[in-house]
Short mmCIF file of all heavy atoms in Angstrom, two decimals:
data_model
loop_
_atom_site.label_atom_id
_atom_site.label_comp_id
_atom_site.label_asym_id
_atom_site.label_seq_id
_atom_site.Cartn_x
_atom_site.Cartn_y
_atom_site.Cartn_z
N MET A 4 124.86 158.73 111.12
CA MET A 4 124.24 157.60 111.64
C MET A 4 125.34 156.44 111.84
O MET A 4 126.18 156.33 110.99
CB MET A 4 123.18 157.06 110.67
CG MET A 4 122.33 155.97 111.34
SD MET A 4 120.79 155.40 110.54
CE MET A 4 119.98 157.05 110.26
N LYS A 5 125.11 155.64 112.85
CA LYS A 5 126.03 154.45 112.97
C LYS A 5 125.17 153.29 113.57
O LYS A 5 124.19 153.48 114.22
CB LYS A 5 127.16 154.82 113.90
CG LYS A 5 126.93 154.93 115.30
CD LYS A 5 128.20 155.18 116.15
CE LYS A 5 127.88 155.01 117.58
NZ LYS A 5 129.04 155.01 118.39
N PHE A 6 125.64 152.12 113.35
CA PHE A 6 125.00 150.91 113.81
C PHE A 6 125.27 150.77 115.35
O PHE A 6 126.44 150.71 115.71
CB PHE A 6 125.54 149.68 113.05
CG PHE A 6 124.85 148.36 113.41
CD1 PHE A 6 123.42 148.31 113.53
CD2 PHE A 6 125.64 147.29 113.57
CE1 PHE A 6 122.89 147.10 113.82
CE2 PHE A 6 125.01 146.10 113.93
CZ PHE A 6 123.66 145.99 113.98
N GLY A 7 124.25 150.68 116.14
CA GLY A 7 124.45 150.75 117.53
C GLY A 7 124.23 149.46 118.32
O GLY A 7 124.89 149.11 119.24
N TYR A 8 123.15 148.73 117.88
CA TYR A 8 122.59 147.59 118.65
C TYR A 8 122.15 146.46 117.70
O TYR A 8 121.57 146.78 116.68
CB TYR A 8 121.45 147.96 119.56
CG TYR A 8 121.74 148.90 120.61
CD1 TYR A 8 121.62 150.31 120.42
CD2 TYR A 8 121.91 148.50 121.88
CE1 TYR A 8 121.79 151.21 121.40
CE2 TYR A 8 122.14 149.43 122.96
CZ TYR A 8 122.06 150.79 122.68
OH TYR A 8 122.25 151.66 123.74
N THR A 9 122.28 145.31 118.17
CA THR A 9 121.56 144.13 117.71
C THR A 9 120.83 143.59 118.94
O THR A 9 121.45 143.40 119.99
CB THR A 9 122.42 143.04 117.13
OG1 THR A 9 123.00 143.53 115.95
CG2 THR A 9 121.67 141.77 116.81
N ILE A 10 119.48 143.55 118.87
CA ILE A 10 118.68 143.08 119.98
C ILE A 10 118.07 141.74 119.56
O ILE A 10 117.32 141.73 118.55
CB ILE A 10 117.68 144.07 120.42
CG1 ILE A 10 118.37 145.41 120.87
CG2 ILE A 10 116.84 143.54 121.59
CD1 ILE A 10 117.40 146.61 121.07
N VAL A 11 118.30 140.71 120.34
CA VAL A 11 117.64 139.40 120.05
C VAL A 11 116.63 139.15 121.10
O VAL A 11 116.89 139.26 122.33
CB VAL A 11 118.77 138.33 120.06
CG1 VAL A 11 118.12 136.99 119.80
CG2 VAL A 11 119.93 138.67 119.15
N TYR A 12 115.38 138.74 120.65
CA TYR A 12 114.29 138.53 121.60
C TYR A 12 114.31 137.09 121.96
O TYR A 12 114.48 136.14 121.02
CB TYR A 12 112.99 138.91 120.93
CG TYR A 12 112.85 140.37 120.80
CD1 TYR A 12 113.30 141.03 119.64
CD2 TYR A 12 112.39 141.17 121.83
CE1 TYR A 12 113.24 142.39 119.57
CE2 TYR A 12 112.31 142.57 121.75
CZ TYR A 12 112.82 143.14 120.59
OH TYR A 12 112.73 144.53 120.45
N VAL A 13 114.34 136.76 123.25
CA VAL A 13 114.65 135.43 123.73
C VAL A 13 113.63 135.16 124.89
O VAL A 13 113.09 135.88 125.47
CB VAL A 13 116.18 135.41 124.28
CG1 VAL A 13 117.12 135.63 123.16
CG2 VAL A 13 116.38 136.43 125.36
N PRO A 14 113.58 133.80 125.26
CA PRO A 14 112.79 133.33 126.31
C PRO A 14 113.23 133.89 127.70
O PRO A 14 112.45 134.24 128.54
CB PRO A 14 112.80 131.91 126.23
CG PRO A 14 113.16 131.44 124.91
CD PRO A 14 114.09 132.59 124.43
N SER A 15 114.50 133.88 127.84
CA SER A 15 115.17 134.28 129.17
C SER A 15 116.41 135.11 128.89
O SER A 15 117.44 134.50 128.52
CB SER A 15 115.49 132.98 129.97
OG SER A 15 116.31 133.40 131.09
N VAL A 16 116.28 136.35 129.13
CA VAL A 16 117.43 137.27 128.92
C VAL A 16 118.67 136.78 129.82
O VAL A 16 119.72 136.68 129.28
CB VAL A 16 117.06 138.74 129.32
CG1 VAL A 16 118.25 139.66 129.26
CG2 VAL A 16 116.03 139.17 128.37
N GLU A 17 118.43 136.56 131.03
CA GLU A 17 119.49 136.06 131.96
C GLU A 17 120.15 134.78 131.42
O GLU A 17 121.37 134.74 131.44
CB GLU A 17 118.93 135.79 133.34
CG GLU A 17 120.06 135.62 134.41
CD GLU A 17 119.52 135.53 135.77
OE1 GLU A 17 118.31 135.90 136.06
OE2 GLU A 17 120.26 135.10 136.73
N SER A 18 119.47 133.80 130.95
CA SER A 18 120.04 132.62 130.40
C SER A 18 120.81 132.89 129.17
O SER A 18 121.95 132.35 128.97
CB SER A 18 118.92 131.65 130.07
OG SER A 18 118.30 131.14 131.23
N SER A 19 120.32 133.76 128.26
CA SER A 19 121.11 134.07 127.05
C SER A 19 122.34 134.78 127.41
O SER A 19 123.43 134.49 126.78
CB SER A 19 120.26 134.84 126.19
OG SER A 19 119.17 134.20 125.67
N LEU A 20 122.25 135.76 128.30
CA LEU A 20 123.51 136.42 128.73
C LEU A 20 124.55 135.39 129.38
O LEU A 20 125.78 135.40 128.98
CB LEU A 20 123.20 137.43 129.81
CG LEU A 20 122.45 138.74 129.35
CD1 LEU A 20 122.08 139.56 130.50
CD2 LEU A 20 123.28 139.59 128.38
N ARG A 21 124.05 134.62 130.14
CA ARG A 21 124.94 133.51 130.80
C ARG A 21 125.58 132.62 129.74
O ARG A 21 126.81 132.37 129.78
CB ARG A 21 124.15 132.65 131.80
CG ARG A 21 125.00 131.72 132.66
CD ARG A 21 124.26 130.93 133.75
NE ARG A 21 122.91 130.62 133.55
CZ ARG A 21 121.83 131.32 133.91
NH1 ARG A 21 122.01 132.38 134.81
NH2 ARG A 21 120.61 130.84 133.68
N PHE A 22 124.77 132.17 128.72
CA PHE A 22 125.34 131.32 127.71
C PHE A 22 126.52 132.05 126.94
O PHE A 22 127.58 131.55 126.85
CB PHE A 22 124.33 130.95 126.72
CG PHE A 22 125.00 130.28 125.41
CD1 PHE A 22 125.50 128.96 125.45
CD2 PHE A 22 125.05 131.00 124.32
CE1 PHE A 22 126.06 128.42 124.31
CE2 PHE A 22 125.68 130.45 123.20
CZ PHE A 22 126.19 129.16 123.15
N PHE A 23 126.36 133.27 126.48
CA PHE A 23 127.35 134.01 125.77
C PHE A 23 128.51 134.30 126.66
O PHE A 23 129.57 134.40 126.06
CB PHE A 23 126.77 135.22 125.16
CG PHE A 23 125.97 134.95 123.86
CD1 PHE A 23 124.69 134.55 123.87
CD2 PHE A 23 126.55 134.97 122.55
CE1 PHE A 23 123.97 134.21 122.71
CE2 PHE A 23 125.92 134.78 121.40
CZ PHE A 23 124.58 134.35 121.42
N CYS A 24 128.30 134.55 127.89
CA CYS A 24 129.51 134.86 128.81
C CYS A 24 130.26 133.57 129.02
O CYS A 24 131.47 133.52 128.89
CB CYS A 24 128.95 135.39 130.10
SG CYS A 24 128.35 137.14 129.98
N GLN A 25 129.65 132.42 129.33
CA GLN A 25 130.26 131.16 129.62
C GLN A 25 130.94 130.57 128.36
O GLN A 25 131.98 130.06 128.45
CB GLN A 25 129.27 130.22 130.28
CG GLN A 25 128.90 130.61 131.65
CD GLN A 25 127.88 129.80 132.35
OE1 GLN A 25 127.29 128.93 131.70
NE2 GLN A 25 127.72 129.82 133.60
N ALA A 26 130.19 130.54 127.23
CA ALA A 26 130.67 129.87 126.08
C ALA A 26 131.83 130.66 125.40
O ALA A 26 132.70 130.03 124.83
CB ALA A 26 129.51 129.59 125.06
N PHE A 27 131.69 131.95 125.41
CA PHE A 27 132.59 132.77 124.62
C PHE A 27 133.43 133.73 125.44
O PHE A 27 134.27 134.51 124.86
CB PHE A 27 131.83 133.51 123.52
CG PHE A 27 131.05 132.65 122.67
CD1 PHE A 27 129.68 132.81 122.55
CD2 PHE A 27 131.52 131.61 121.94
CE1 PHE A 27 128.84 132.05 121.76
CE2 PHE A 27 130.79 130.71 121.19
CZ PHE A 27 129.40 130.94 121.08
N GLY A 28 133.34 133.78 126.67
CA GLY A 28 134.11 134.67 127.51
C GLY A 28 133.74 136.12 127.43
O GLY A 28 134.50 137.00 127.87
N LEU A 29 132.61 136.41 126.85
CA LEU A 29 132.09 137.81 126.84
C LEU A 29 131.71 138.28 128.24
O LEU A 29 131.39 137.39 129.07
CB LEU A 29 130.86 137.96 125.91
CG LEU A 29 131.19 137.59 124.36
CD1 LEU A 29 129.96 137.63 123.59
CD2 LEU A 29 132.25 138.64 123.85
N GLU A 30 131.61 139.56 128.49
CA GLU A 30 131.25 140.12 129.84
C GLU A 30 129.86 140.67 129.67
O GLU A 30 129.58 141.42 128.73
CB GLU A 30 132.27 141.16 130.26
CG GLU A 30 133.66 140.55 130.45
CD GLU A 30 134.64 141.59 130.98
OE1 GLU A 30 134.25 142.75 131.29
OE2 GLU A 30 135.78 141.28 131.11
N GLN A 31 129.01 140.51 130.71
CA GLN A 31 127.79 141.20 130.86
C GLN A 31 127.95 142.65 131.10
O GLN A 31 128.78 143.06 132.07
CB GLN A 31 126.96 140.49 131.95
CG GLN A 31 125.63 141.10 132.10
CD GLN A 31 124.77 140.38 133.22
OE1 GLN A 31 124.63 139.15 133.13
NE2 GLN A 31 124.28 141.08 134.14
N LYS A 32 127.33 143.58 130.44
CA LYS A 32 127.48 144.92 130.52
C LYS A 32 126.28 145.42 131.40
O LYS A 32 126.54 146.36 132.25
CB LYS A 32 127.43 145.55 129.13
CG LYS A 32 127.48 147.10 129.11
CD LYS A 32 127.50 147.46 127.65
CE LYS A 32 127.55 148.99 127.35
NZ LYS A 32 127.56 149.32 126.04
N PHE A 33 125.11 144.83 131.18
CA PHE A 33 123.84 145.41 131.85
C PHE A 33 122.85 144.42 131.88
O PHE A 33 122.65 143.67 130.91
CB PHE A 33 123.50 146.77 131.09
CG PHE A 33 122.09 147.24 131.52
CD1 PHE A 33 122.03 148.01 132.72
CD2 PHE A 33 120.99 147.04 130.90
CE1 PHE A 33 120.85 148.59 133.08
CE2 PHE A 33 119.75 147.57 131.26
CZ PHE A 33 119.80 148.36 132.34
N LEU A 34 122.12 144.35 132.95
CA LEU A 34 120.82 143.48 133.04
C LEU A 34 119.85 144.35 133.79
O LEU A 34 120.13 144.74 135.06
CB LEU A 34 121.06 142.22 133.69
CG LEU A 34 119.82 141.37 133.90
CD1 LEU A 34 119.16 141.04 132.63
CD2 LEU A 34 120.15 140.13 134.79
N HIS A 35 118.79 144.79 133.15
CA HIS A 35 117.73 145.58 133.83
C HIS A 35 117.17 144.74 134.98
O HIS A 35 116.97 143.46 134.93
CB HIS A 35 116.70 146.01 132.88
CG HIS A 35 115.66 147.02 133.46
ND1 HIS A 35 114.51 146.54 133.99
CD2 HIS A 35 115.70 148.26 133.56
CE1 HIS A 35 113.89 147.63 134.45
NE2 HIS A 35 114.58 148.69 134.13
N GLU A 36 116.72 145.45 136.06
CA GLU A 36 116.23 144.77 137.22
C GLU A 36 114.98 143.91 136.92
O GLU A 36 114.66 143.00 137.58
CB GLU A 36 115.90 145.77 138.34
CG GLU A 36 114.91 146.78 138.01
CD GLU A 36 114.73 147.92 139.02
OE1 GLU A 36 115.72 148.27 139.63
OE2 GLU A 36 113.60 148.47 139.14
N SER A 37 114.20 144.22 135.85
CA SER A 37 113.08 143.45 135.46
C SER A 37 113.49 142.10 134.84
O SER A 37 112.64 141.23 134.78
CB SER A 37 112.27 144.32 134.44
OG SER A 37 112.92 144.34 133.16
N GLY A 38 114.66 142.05 134.43
CA GLY A 38 115.12 140.87 133.74
C GLY A 38 114.69 140.76 132.28
O GLY A 38 114.93 139.81 131.54
N ASP A 39 113.99 141.83 131.81
CA ASP A 39 113.56 141.91 130.40
C ASP A 39 114.51 142.48 129.40
O ASP A 39 114.32 142.37 128.19
CB ASP A 39 112.23 142.71 130.34
CG ASP A 39 111.03 142.01 130.83
OD1 ASP A 39 110.97 140.84 130.70
OD2 ASP A 39 110.13 142.75 131.31
N TYR A 40 115.65 142.95 129.82
CA TYR A 40 116.61 143.46 128.88
C TYR A 40 118.04 143.45 129.45
O TYR A 40 118.22 143.65 130.62
CB TYR A 40 116.30 144.94 128.50
CG TYR A 40 117.23 145.57 127.56
CD1 TYR A 40 117.14 145.44 126.23
CD2 TYR A 40 118.27 146.38 127.98
CE1 TYR A 40 118.09 145.94 125.28
CE2 TYR A 40 119.26 146.89 127.17
CZ TYR A 40 119.11 146.75 125.81
OH TYR A 40 119.96 147.28 124.95
N GLY A 41 118.94 142.99 128.58
CA GLY A 41 120.37 143.01 129.08
C GLY A 41 121.28 143.18 127.87
O GLY A 41 120.94 142.90 126.62
N GLU A 42 122.56 143.49 128.13
CA GLU A 42 123.49 143.80 127.10
C GLU A 42 124.86 143.04 127.48
O GLU A 42 125.11 142.87 128.73
CB GLU A 42 123.79 145.25 127.08
CG GLU A 42 122.62 146.12 126.63
CD GLU A 42 122.89 147.56 126.65
OE1 GLU A 42 123.99 147.99 127.05
OE2 GLU A 42 122.06 148.34 126.10
N LEU A 43 125.69 142.78 126.44
CA LEU A 43 127.02 142.34 126.63
C LEU A 43 127.96 143.26 126.12
O LEU A 43 127.74 144.01 125.14
CB LEU A 43 127.14 140.97 125.78
CG LEU A 43 126.35 139.75 126.13
CD1 LEU A 43 126.35 138.71 125.08
CD2 LEU A 43 126.80 139.34 127.56
N ASN A 44 129.22 143.23 126.63
CA ASN A 44 130.28 144.03 126.16
C ASN A 44 130.85 143.26 124.92
O ASN A 44 131.40 142.12 125.12
CB ASN A 44 131.44 144.14 127.18
CG ASN A 44 131.18 145.27 128.21
OD1 ASN A 44 130.51 146.18 127.85
ND2 ASN A 44 131.59 144.88 129.46
N THR A 45 130.66 143.84 123.80
CA THR A 45 131.12 143.21 122.49
C THR A 45 131.86 144.10 121.60
O THR A 45 131.99 143.95 120.35
CB THR A 45 129.91 142.68 121.73
OG1 THR A 45 128.86 143.70 121.57
CG2 THR A 45 129.28 141.59 122.52
N GLY A 46 132.26 145.32 122.08
CA GLY A 46 133.00 146.24 121.24
C GLY A 46 132.07 147.39 121.00
O GLY A 46 131.20 147.73 121.80
N GLU A 47 132.22 148.07 119.78
CA GLU A 47 131.50 149.29 119.61
C GLU A 47 130.05 149.09 119.37
O GLU A 47 129.19 149.87 119.76
CB GLU A 47 132.08 149.93 118.21
CG GLU A 47 131.55 151.24 118.03
CD GLU A 47 132.20 151.97 116.93
OE1 GLU A 47 133.45 151.79 116.60
OE2 GLU A 47 131.50 152.85 116.22
N THR A 48 129.65 147.97 118.79
CA THR A 48 128.28 147.64 118.56
C THR A 48 127.76 146.68 119.74
O THR A 48 128.38 145.71 120.03
CB THR A 48 127.95 147.01 117.18
OG1 THR A 48 128.45 147.87 116.17
CG2 THR A 48 126.57 146.69 116.94
N THR A 49 126.68 147.07 120.35
CA THR A 49 126.15 146.33 121.49
C THR A 49 125.28 145.14 121.09
O THR A 49 124.43 145.32 120.18
CB THR A 49 125.32 147.21 122.37
OG1 THR A 49 126.16 148.31 122.80
CG2 THR A 49 124.72 146.51 123.56
#
């Protein structure tokens, strides 16, 4: 077994992704077309 994800429940997935990308230079990995789920490139753990 390995640690794979931390998922944070938020009011706006797109806004949270944008903050972490703009504030810390992280890259968006994925945003579902529904806007209900998204991921950042953060190394081995998502």
Side-chain angles (χ1 to χ4, degrees):
M4 185 169 312
K5 73 175 192 171
F6 183 48
Y8 295 86
T9 293
I10 302 172
V11 182
Y12 293 89
V13 297
S15 168
V16 172
E17 190 174 347
S18 294
S19 294
L20 290 170
R21 186 172 36 257
F22 168 77
F23 279 84
C24 290
Q25 291 176 346
F27 306 122
L29 297 173
E30 293 180 10
Q31 182 175 305
K32 179 178 176 180
F33 172 77
L34 176 60
H35 188 268
E36 63 188 28
S37 69
D39 282 331
Y40 180 81
E42 299 177 351
L43 294 170
N44 281 323
T45 55
E47 188 173 328
T48 302
T49 299

